[in-house]
Amino acid sequence: MNAVGLSYATRSGTKGGSIFGSTRYPIGQSLRFGPRLQVSYTSGDDPATGTSSGWSASPSLLADWRFKRGLIELETGYERANFNASLAPGVPIDPNAPPQTLLNQQTRRFWVSLGYNISF
């Protein structure tokens, strides 16, 4: 199974776009395994969140095991993001630092997810 998708959204002057793709390879009758990747970009100026621009990339590996009446799914992945936030004048980040109007935030995270689905 292969899947590719695009998304686009706007809100309060902010625009966001994303592309993702995934594929799965069968291993025997009931086990499937494959990579997944999503890349997103945001631009604009959202007064509610302060986000002005940024990107994120999230590769992961997904495995699922199908049995008689259900499914067990395991996903593990990594996400890296870099966002710039516009600050209103006079909003201090650090009172000891010189004033600035742009804050750069870089994040990294690893995750593991386990789920199940049983049909009755």
Side-chain angles (χ1 to χ4, degrees):
M1 171 189 349
N2 297 314
V4 176
L6 296 170
S7 71
Y8 178 77
T10 61
R11 183 194 128 177
S12 300
T14 302
K15 298 173 187 172
S18 167
I19 184 169
F20 71 89
S22 69
T23 188
R24 298 215 203 140
Y25 301 100
I27 300 172
Q29 290 291 329
S30 58
L31 187 63
R32 294 187 304 168
F33 180 80
R36 184 183 291 183
L37 175 65
Q38 179 170 335
V39 178
S40 302
Y41 182 75
T42 302
S43 67
D45 187 16
D46 185 347
T49 63
T51 301
S52 57
S53 66
W55 61 269
S56 67
S58 181
S60 63
L61 291 173
L62 178 66
D64 61 52
W65 175 52
R66 295 181 182 273
F67 52 94
K68 189 173 184 179
R69 292 181 30 205
L71 167 78
I72 295 177
E73 187 173 84
L74 174 68
E75 183 174 15
T76 183
Y78 172 75
E79 180 181 54
R80 183 170 180 176
N82 186 359
F83 290 101
N84 293 317
S86 300
L87 299 175
V91 175
I93 296 173
D94 179 356
N96 301 319
Q100 59 183 2
T101 59
L102 190 63
L103 174 65
N104 181 271
Q105 179 183 8
Q106 297 180 6
T107 60
R108 295 181 183 106
R109 70 180 178 124
F110 290 95
W111 78 89
V112 175
S113 172
L114 179 64
Y116 66 92
N117 182 341
I118 297 176
S119 300
F120 295 98

